[in-house]
Amino acid sequence: MSEYRTRSERHQKKQVTFQYKFTGKKAMSLVGVGLACTPGVMALMPAQSAQAAQLENQGIDNTANLINQIGAAASQIAQENDLYASVMIAQAVLESGNGSSVLAQAPYYNLFGVKGAYNGQSVTFPTQEYLNGQWVTMNEPFRQYNSYWESLADHAYVLRSTSFATGTAHYAGAWKSNTASYLDATAYLTGRYATDPTYNQKLNYLIAAYNLTQYDTPASGYVQTSYTTQTNTNTESTAENTAAASQSQTTGNVYTVVSGDTLWDIAATYGTTVEQLMANNGLSSDTIMVGQQLNV
């Protein structure tokens, strides 16, 4: 029986991930470490049941924590790029093992298992690739970011700019303007972004379980970014994002967040209020990240 894996699953060294058992009508969330539960596994001894419950709680906590960290940023980035924040967040959760994969953590911040280099930064990890009918271990470079913000922004760039034929966007079917709902987007990504035939079901489960559609609410005041579609011949090595690494700077009415910043500090500097900053930027919490650009 064929085995399907997301890119991050092939190189994670540490993870407590959700496993999914799909019936004809719904998906059930189970927690394990690399193996799906079978009826025999479910018949646990009391001590094993307690351990399973602890792992489940840990997985839920990790997921909620990651969503809290990236939710506001994903909402802004997705809105500016005609994408569903709910799908972006669900992909980040799934691809990073709830944020627990080594690659997803500091100092790499690669939530989506994207290969290559970002602004010249990369890190090499052993990863499993399916070649000639079998899984083989290879050392591959993965993009390294300075923050989750950069990882999310680069993911949006990948979904907007990847092309395998001039003028044809590979992921156009996942854009808001080309879909009726996030369900269309997740269905379109299945077989394109990931080979797992149940990829959309896993994403849909996460979106429903964590009410991720709350991040899809359009925010006013944003101007959608225009991209020039670039031709690419490698599914896991897209055109590099040419934006320079974020540094402390102010340009006009846009401020780039640096380490140590808080909304209160920024509000005081620009003579405004935290509430106004949150409204200007469509933020649902006061959480900000290094590299994030704020309208002040």
Side-chain angles (χ1 to χ4, degrees):
M1 182 175 180
S2 298
E3 180 181 7
Y4 298 91
R5 308 184 185 186
T6 58
R7 280 173 281 192
S8 290
E9 286 177 323
R10 301 200 296 268
H11 58 261
Q12 286 173 20
K13 297 181 180 179
K14 171 189 174 185
Q15 63 177 355
V16 180
T17 63
F18 283 98
Q19 302 293 330
Y20 305 89
K21 178 180 178 182
F22 296 99
T23 65
K25 296 182 179 180
K26 64 179 180 179
M28 297 178 62
S29 172
L30 300 175
V31 177
V33 185
L35 295 175
C37 291
T38 64
V41 176
M42 295 302 292
L44 300 174
M45 297 295 289
Q48 292 174 307
S49 296
Q51 183 179 21
Q54 183 178 6
L55 284 173
E56 181 174 4
N57 289 334
Q58 182 180 349
I60 292 172
D61 289 343
N62 286 345
T63 303
N65 182 57
L66 179 62
I67 292 171
N68 287 336
Q69 289 186 67
I70 69 175
S75 182
Q76 179 177 340
I77 291 169
Q79 177 63 20
E80 293 174 344
N81 290 280
D82 191 30
L83 299 170
Y84 290 95
S86 57
V87 177
M88 183 181 292
I89 296 169
Q91 283 190 280
V93 170
L94 187 61
E95 296 285 349
S96 71
N98 305 335
S100 65
S101 73
V102 174
L103 188 60
Q105 298 175 25
Y108 313 120
Y109 297 107
N110 189 332
L111 290 168
F112 302 94
V114 184
K115 288 184 178 180
Y118 176 82
N119 291 334
Q121 297 186 101
S122 66
V123 59
T124 300
F125 274 114
T127 181
Q128 289 188 298
E129 302 293 344
Y130 197 69
L131 299 174
N132 299 321
Q134 62 182 349
W135 289 101
V136 296
T137 300
M138 303 174 62
N139 291 321
E140 298 284 353
F142 291 86
R143 297 186 186 188
Q144 180 175 345
Y145 305 97
N146 294 317
S147 65
Y148 282 150
W149 177 272
E150 288 187 354
S151 181
L152 293 164
D154 192 43
H155 180 64
Y157 180 79
V158 167
L159 295 183
R160 292 292 304 183
S161 67
T162 302
S163 174
F164 300 100
T166 303
T168 303
H170 188 59
Y171 295 114
W175 300 352
K176 267 187 174 182
S177 58
N178 294 331
T179 55
S181 74
Y182 74 84
L183 294 172
D184 292 336
T186 58
Y188 190 85
L189 290 172
T190 303
R192 287 178 174 82
Y193 188 89
T195 56
D196 183 349
T198 62
Y199 192 63
N200 62 319
Q201 297 178 55
K202 294 175 181 178
L203 296 178
N204 294 342
Y205 169 79
L206 288 168
I207 291 169
Y210 291 95
N211 188 29
L212 298 184
T213 54
Q214 65 181 299
Y215 296 101
D216 287 331
T217 303
S220 61
Y222 294 122
V223 177
Q224 183 168 317
T225 303
S226 296
Y227 286 102
T228 299
T229 302
Q230 300 185 28
T231 302
N232 195 305
T233 58
N234 188 321
T235 59
E236 292 187 315
S237 179
T238 59
E240 294 301 319
N241 188 338
T242 57
S246 298
Q247 299 179 359
S248 176
Q249 62 179 356
T250 57
T251 306
N253 294 323
V254 177
Y255 177 76
T256 302
V257 177
V258 298
S259 178
D261 276 343
T262 67
L263 281 183
W264 286 269
D265 295 334
I266 298 171
T269 299
Y270 287 90
T272 185
T273 65
V274 170
E275 291 74 16
Q276 187 60 53
L277 277 179
M278 293 177 67
N280 289 348
N281 294 278
L283 302 178
S284 58
S285 74
D286 58 9
T287 302
I288 53 177
M289 292 181 287
V290 173
Q292 182 174 355
Q293 291 189 325
L294 299 175
N295 295 319
V296 295

